[in-house]
Amino acid sequence: MRSDSPLTCLQNIAITIRSIGTSLGVQFVLAEVRIQEGESLENALLCFKRKVQQEDIIKEVKRHSFYLKPGEEERVREALARRRSRKKARKEQN
């Protein structure tokens, strides 16, 4: 394959992110992109990145990567609400 030619798919392939439930062993498909024959892999990866971004998968993974006690979680939510209200007040002043 030449270096200047784009990579193309020769068969139907699916790029998938799966989430496995720990207690039940259940699998959920979080994002899936099917690549058609002749479609470039760069195009498929762009579609996959867009789908992951639209479904906020990265945000959910980061949110579940550590445990916050209920009181800590409430403090974080309140701090975010204060930050949003200050930002809204600044916008209204301008």
Side-chain angles (χ1 to χ4, degrees), residues 3-19:
S3 62
D4 59 356
S5 65
L7 295 173
T8 56
C9 179
L10 301 177
Q11 297 176 359
N12 291 339
I13 300 174
I15 301 174
T16 307
I17 290 182
R18 293 187 188 277
S19 172

Side-chain angles (χ1 to χ4, degrees), residues 2 16 25 29 39 46 49 51 53 64 87:
R2 294 185 353 220
T16 307
V29 175
E39 184 179 0
L46 286 174
K49 279 179 65 176
K51 188 164 191 168
Q53 193 172 27
H64 291 289
K87 186 175 179 180

Side-chain angles (χ1 to χ4, degrees), residues 17-36:
I17 290 182
R18 293 187 188 277
S19 172
I20 300 172
T22 56
S23 62
L24 301 175
V26 179
Q27 289 188 354
F28 301 100
V29 175
L30 297 177
E32 183 174 49
V33 175
R34 295 230 175 248
I35 303 171
Q36 299 301 319

Side-chain angles (χ1 to χ4, degrees), residues 8 11 30 32 43 45 52 57 66 69 71 73-74 77 84 89 91-92:
T8 56
Q11 297 176 359
L30 297 177
E32 183 174 49
N43 187 25
L45 285 174
V52 167
I57 292 172
F66 56 92
K69 292 181 182 177
E73 189 173 344
E74 190 172 333
R77 265 192 258 124
R84 278 193 308 268
K91 282 185 178 183
E92 288 175 356

